[in-house]
Amino acid sequence: MAIEKVMDIPSDNVYAYALSKTLTKVSSPVTVGLYSECHNRINMVLKNIEVHMNQEAKRREEKYTKEPKPRSITPSVSDLLSLILRLLFYRPVWTEQNQNMKNIRYLFVRFSAWHFAGSDLLWAGLVMQLCKALQNSFGKLQLGLFRITQHDEEKDAGKKKIEDIPKNWRSKKLGCIPIWALILMGLIFSLLILVPLIIYGFSDMKDNKEGEKVESSSGVLEGFAIAILGVPAVGALRFIILLLKNLIFNQDLKIRQGLDNKKVSQQLGLMHEVRKEMRLLCCFIYFMEIFEKRRIRVVLEITNLDRCTPKKIVGVLDAINILLSDEESPFISVLAVDPEVLVRQVQQAEDCLNKRDSAYDFLDRIITLPFTVPPLSDASKSSLFENIVRGQSEISEDIPFEGTDASTLGGPVTSFSVEDEYSVKYSETEEEQVTPLIANTGNFQTFAATELNLNEVNRLIESAFSCIFSRHTSKLQSYISGDTMSMRRVINSIRVTIMIMETQKLEPPPPEKIAAWVVLVDRWPCRLSWIIQCVEDDQQSNEIDGSFCAADNTKTLWEVFNYNSLELCIIGYEVENFLERDGDPELFEVFLRKDFRFTVGELEMFQLCTVNLNYSIKKDLARVRGSRRLKKAGRNAFLSLSSQTVMNMKTDDICQELSKLSFPEKYLETVRENFIDGRTILFSDTKDLRQVLQMTLGEWTTFKIHFLGVIPPSRPAQAKTLPDATNPGVVICSSDHRC
């Protein structure tokens, strides 16, 4: 926050621009880790990256005019015929000139892993999506012709050989004669034979002896001609059949067949077969680079991977590392994920990581360019929040950095929404203002719209929203999350909360208080649930003790939390999953202790209209707290010491307690000789402790009940190994230690 006082964090378009510029400079292959907790911000960054990279490609085409002009992305009829002729009769030549071309074309392929999450092999879905995108971009016919006429697995498996010649194409030859010349000669020869046959060989013959001899010799000549013409006809027929086969059975269908074929997928290795298909696509892209007179880079954008299971995530990461990372691969892979979720999922993957390998090491071997989108500044969050409230596009960027007209890129690209599928519309029609909230049926209590005073409700809602996106009148923008889904929850919850207050005829607090309460519930649900449970337990304890005095409603929620924080720390490992949902703990303290000092009285009022709090968290906290109180009751019944008391005891304190329990002096000497203190009793193995003390069964039982608490024989204690100093006072007892 101190940095933000000097200057605001730049907008996401700045980061997208910087990353796009970097991607246009680095050599492929490269794997980018685009990290952000907000998936909507990731989508916006990806869209801006596409715009800036397309702008860079257009800028290069305008700058490098001395290079051969690239062909159009949408080829004309002449370009298509030229491509087919190149595929049939020529091979590309890799030269220094065409390998250092400045012009470039980017092909963007979006792969949402969540759409293929039901597949056993998620990475196979990624490859099929990539194959479909290339087919749609370049055409199935062109790809099928390349497979038949150009692709050679043995030759294409090696590196490209750079030659020092001016030509980019070399004719295919049979012997020393180009294939196109042979075919042309064959056509001319066939015409020379076929034309006389048509004119003279199939004319009607006169029925005489001389004619019978002519007809017989003509039949021999016809048979000879058909035999000669049949060889190229069979070759042409074979070529047509192969072409139709590749048009029908394309790459993605072959991958599906491999998935269904257990012999391929289990014994021979499906990854190897898919790798050969990927090599074919790479070679086709190399061919198209020479034809289009520019470099071609495929930008594969992988999103929503962190929503899949650990095993599938690791499979996709392995596929990126194995299939898309060859030395000369033309792929740029952008892995757009939440890094915290991704690391947690990879760490949980079974049989995928080595014992010495961590999730971070695994990702470091794959990611060559980590790029974390920083959190939004307060100003950006305020602007984003206001845009969502008004139903406008979120975090709009008005001017592209390159100054290129948006229309030249195929559509409007000056403004992008963080999330395209959803938009919050904030409008009230006259018809809605006269519609009753609850229908008037019978004698039940009804609430008409006029009774609700919708004008006042709208004013309160608008004021509450303005408290968040106004930087000068409130500090709430510092506490809201930068995730747009969290902002939407806050917006909707504020509306419902104010509506319930008006419906229940409650005196509404200041709009800033309402907004702050909703933000508190959204950001720290576990800690707030703990406060509510503690207040509720205190009130119930007063009723049980018979002191029906009114609770102190002026006590702040921070005082309640601070008083019971040690207990929450002790049971932290039991509610760890809930605590992970909370935001910054230090920010929580500043929120309740300094900026918004909510009281117990305000808590009781807000509970009636709090709709965005999951009360199952509170129930689990109540269960854990009740279980600890039951154990505490058992300690009190047997006069057992608390774990916190034992933790702070020195050796002399242990001896004093043993004297009170009338233990013989020899045990006191043993304690002094072995320097046994409270920590030793709590954290050492009970078998070792009993062996050192050499106590009888009765003496040991008394010692353990007094210092270690009551452990029911029907339910042995679970093994807990918590030497962490952050959980003081936790009794550690192994499950194999009998009472």
Side-chain angles (χ1 to χ4, degrees):
M1 293 179 66
I3 298 177
E4 294 180 15
K5 294 179 180 178
V6 179
M7 61 176 298
D8 287 332
I9 296 176
S11 65
D12 288 347
N13 197 24
V14 175
Y15 298 110
Y17 178 76
L19 181 57
S20 65
K21 280 295 184 181
T22 303
L23 294 180
T24 59
K25 299 295 184 181
V26 298
S27 58
S28 62
V30 60
T31 303
V32 182
L34 181 58
Y35 299 142
S36 177
E37 297 179 356
C38 180
H39 287 275
N40 301 327
R41 293 185 68 196
I42 285 178
N43 292 332
M44 194 277 297
V45 171
L46 289 176
K47 290 178 181 179
N48 279 342
I49 287 175
E50 294 180 13
V51 173
H52 293 310
M53 294 182 76
N54 285 330
Q55 288 177 350
E56 174 66 17
K58 184 175 180 59
R59 185 188 65 82
R60 290 190 182 187
E61 185 175 342
E62 295 174 352
K63 179 180 179 181
Y64 299 104
T65 55
K66 294 182 179 181
E67 288 193 358
K69 186 177 180 180
R71 297 180 186 270
S72 175
I73 297 177
T74 55
S76 60
V77 176
S78 59
D79 288 339
L80 181 59
L81 293 176
S82 176
L83 175 60
I84 293 175
L85 291 176
R86 302 284 185 185
L87 287 168
L88 292 175
F89 304 119
Y90 292 89
R91 286 191 179 277
V93 180
W94 319 118
T95 65
E96 291 288 345
Q97 181 181 1
N98 59 39
Q99 291 303 296
N100 294 322
M101 292 183 293
K102 301 298 182 182
N103 291 315
I104 193 168
R105 172 188 174 189
Y106 294 103
L107 177 62
F108 297 92
V109 180
R110 179 70 64 90
F111 174 75
S112 178
W114 185 244
H115 296 166
F116 297 85
S119 173
D120 293 334
L121 295 177
L122 182 62
W123 62 267
L126 183 150
V127 176
M128 287 190 291
Q129 185 80 356
L130 185 60
C131 294
K132 288 181 179 179
L134 293 179
Q135 289 173 4
N136 295 333
S137 178
F138 297 106
K140 289 184 178 181
L141 176 64
Q142 294 88 321
L143 194 55
L145 282 174
F146 179 83
R147 178 187 290 274
I148 299 172
T149 61
Q150 295 282 335
H151 185 55
D152 188 337
E153 290 187 10
E154 295 183 0
K155 292 182 179 179
D156 293 338
K159 294 183 179 180
K160 294 184 291 186
K161 296 181 180 179
I162 308 298
E163 301 182 21
D164 188 13
I165 59 176
K167 296 182 179 180
N168 292 330
W169 300 97
R170 179 182 291 124
S171 299
K172 296 181 182 179
K173 295 182 180 180
L174 186 61
C176 297
I177 305 175
I179 293 180
W180 64 267
L182 289 175
I183 294 178
L184 183 61
M185 292 169 58
L187 289 175
I188 295 174
F189 182 71
S190 300
L191 290 174
L192 293 176
I193 296 176
L194 189 61
V195 170
L197 286 177
I198 294 175
I199 296 174
Y200 302 106
F202 301 99
S203 60
D204 295 335
M205 301 295 179
K206 295 182 179 180
D207 189 11
N208 52 32
K209 295 181 179 180
E210 294 179 358
E212 290 177 359
K213 294 181 180 179
V214 174
E215 185 178 359
S216 176
S217 61
S218 177
V220 174
L221 184 61
E222 291 175 5
F224 177 72
I226 292 173
I228 294 176
L229 297 176
V231 175
V234 171
L237 181 62
R238 177 180 177 276
F239 177 80
I240 294 173
I241 292 175
L242 288 175
L243 180 60
L244 292 175
K245 177 183 176 183
N246 282 278
L247 290 177
I248 298 173
F249 301 99
N250 46 34
Q251 277 76 13
D252 57 319
L253 185 59
K254 290 182 179 180
I255 295 173
R256 289 195 188 97
Q257 292 176 348
L259 291 173
D260 296 334
N261 190 345
K262 294 183 178 180
K263 183 178 180 181
V264 174
S265 59
Q266 294 180 3
Q267 298 178 9
L268 300 180
L270 178 61
M271 184 72 78
H272 176 67
E273 297 297 323
V274 174
R275 185 182 177 86
K276 292 193 295 185
E277 294 297 321
M278 294 302 300
R279 184 62 188 174
L280 167 68
L281 295 178
C282 292
C283 294
F284 177 69
I285 292 174
Y286 301 151
F287 182 93
M288 293 302 298
E289 284 183 342
I290 306 301
F291 178 76
E292 292 189 4
K293 302 175 184 178
R294 62 180 155 215
R295 289 182 294 157
I296 299 175
R297 293 295 176 264
V298 180
V299 183
L300 180 60
E301 302 169 346
I302 304 173
T303 61
N304 297 317
L305 184 62
D306 46 9
R307 301 174 65 181
C308 302
T309 59
K311 187 175 182 180
K312 294 178 180 179
I313 291 175
V314 173
V316 171
L317 295 176
D318 283 335
I320 294 174
N321 196 27
I322 296 173
L323 301 176
L324 307 178
S325 299
D326 288 341
E327 184 177 351
E328 298 178 346
S329 176
F331 298 107
I332 299 175
S333 304
V334 181
L335 188 63
V337 292
D338 182 347
E340 182 180 358
V341 177
L342 180 66
V343 169
R344 188 188 309 123
Q345 292 286 71
V346 172
Q347 199 68 48
Q348 294 175 357
E350 297 179 358
D351 302 328
C352 296
L353 300 176
N354 299 325
K355 292 182 179 180
R356 297 182 180 180
D357 205 5
S358 67
Y360 294 100
D361 297 331
F362 179 75
L363 293 174
D364 286 342
R365 289 197 299 269
I366 299 174
I367 304 298
T368 55
L369 176 57
F371 189 95
T372 301
V373 181
L376 289 173
S377 65
D378 291 348
S380 298
K381 287 192 290 186
S382 300
S383 176
L384 172 58
F385 190 89
E386 184 175 8
N387 287 340
I388 297 177
V389 169
R390 304 305 178 196
Q392 301 172 0
S393 61
E394 303 158 11
I395 315 185
S396 60
E397 303 294 343
D398 296 330
I399 303 175
F401 282 90
E402 294 295 338
T404 305
D405 187 7
S407 60
T408 60
L409 299 177
V413 295
T414 57
S415 176
F416 287 104
S417 172
V418 174
E419 186 179 16
D420 295 332
E421 292 86 357
Y422 307 99
S423 62
V424 178
K425 301 300 182 185
Y426 186 70
S427 62
E428 295 284 348
T429 62
E430 294 180 358
E431 182 180 357
E432 290 173 342
Q433 293 179 357
V434 298
T435 304
L437 181 64
I438 302 177
N440 187 358
T441 57
N443 295 325
F444 292 100
Q445 185 180 5
T446 60
F447 301 94
T450 55
E451 296 178 7
L452 285 178
N453 192 1
L454 289 181
N455 291 330
E456 179 65 18
V457 170
N458 293 336
R459 185 191 67 79
L460 288 174
I461 292 175
E462 188 69 22
S463 299
F465 289 157
S466 64
C467 291
I468 295 180
F469 55 71
S470 177
R471 300 184 62 187
H472 304 290
T473 59
S474 177
K475 298 181 179 179
L476 271 175
Q477 65 276 353
S478 301
Y479 298 103
I480 61 175
S481 172
D483 188 353
T484 56
M485 294 306 295
S486 175
M487 291 185 182
R488 295 182 184 279
R489 289 194 297 268
V490 170
I491 291 171
N492 296 328
S493 299
I494 288 176
R495 289 186 175 126
V496 176
T497 301
I498 293 177
M499 186 68 71
I500 293 176
M501 285 184 175
E502 183 66 21
T503 303
Q504 296 294 330
K505 303 301 181 183
L506 299 175
E507 181 65 26
E512 185 181 17
K513 280 275 189 178
I514 300 175
W517 177 262
V518 173
V519 172
L520 173 64
V521 175
D522 183 75
R523 294 301 311 277
W524 298 282
C526 181
R527 284 171 171 80
L528 181 60
S529 298
W530 175 254
I531 293 174
I532 295 175
Q533 184 60 42
C534 291
V535 171
E536 183 180 305
D537 290 344
D538 291 342
Q539 293 175 349
Q540 293 172 352
S541 298
N542 291 336
E543 294 178 2
I544 293 173
D545 297 338
S547 57
F548 296 99
C549 58
D552 186 5
N553 290 334
T554 61
K555 183 184 294 185
T556 64
L557 298 188
W558 172 251
E559 292 174 349
V560 176
F561 179 82
N562 192 39
Y563 180 78
N564 298 279
S565 59
L566 179 60
E567 183 180 358
L568 180 62
C569 179
I570 293 175
I571 67 172
Y573 62 89
E574 298 185 56
V575 295
E576 183 178 359
N577 293 334
F578 299 129
L579 286 172
E580 288 179 353
R581 298 187 56 190
D582 286 357
D584 190 344
E586 288 75 18
L587 208 60
F588 172 76
E589 180 178 353
V590 176
F591 185 93
L592 284 183
R593 188 175 182 179
K594 180 181 178 182
D595 292 335
F596 301 96
R597 299 173 60 85
F598 286 102
T599 63
V600 174
E602 291 174 326
L603 167 66
E604 295 176 354
M605 179 193 65
F606 277 113
Q607 270 191 276
L608 299 175
C609 51
T610 300
V611 295
N612 59 328
L613 180 63
N614 188 348
Y615 281 92
S616 63
I617 300 177
K618 175 179 171 297
K619 291 180 180 179
D620 282 331
L621 293 175
R623 175 185 55 78
V624 174
R625 203 176 193 217
S627 176
R628 288 189 56 80
R629 290 197 171 190
L630 184 61
K631 295 177 181 179
K632 183 178 179 181
R635 287 199 305 268
N636 294 336
F638 286 89
L639 300 178
S640 301
L641 300 176
S642 66
S643 57
Q644 186 173 1
T645 302
V646 177
M647 178 75 70
N648 297 324
M649 293 180 71
K650 306 297 183 182
T651 302
D652 294 338
D653 299 330
I654 300 294
C655 294
Q656 290 180 6
E657 290 296 326
L658 292 177
S659 300
K660 293 179 182 179
L661 295 174
S662 302
F663 275 83
E665 183 65 25
K666 63 178 182 178
Y667 297 128
L668 277 67
E669 293 295 333
T670 303
V671 169
R672 295 189 185 96
E673 291 175 359
N674 292 275
F675 301 100
I676 298 175
D677 56 5
R679 291 179 179 269
T680 305
I681 294 176
L682 290 177
F683 294 105
S684 63
D685 193 310
T686 52
K687 289 183 178 180
D688 297 337
L689 185 61
R690 182 180 179 183
Q691 184 177 1
V692 170
L693 295 175
Q694 294 294 319
M695 291 182 177
T696 62
L697 179 60
E699 292 172 337
W700 172 248
T701 302
T702 303
F703 178 89
K704 190 165 63 171
I705 290 176
H706 187 72
F707 288 97
L708 299 179
V710 181
I711 303 177
S714 59
R715 185 179 179 182
Q718 297 293 326
K720 298 291 182 183
T721 307
L722 295 174
D724 193 350
T726 59
N727 291 339
V730 180
V731 177
I732 309 223
C733 184
S734 177
S735 59
D736 59 348
H737 299 163
R738 291 292 181 181
C739 296

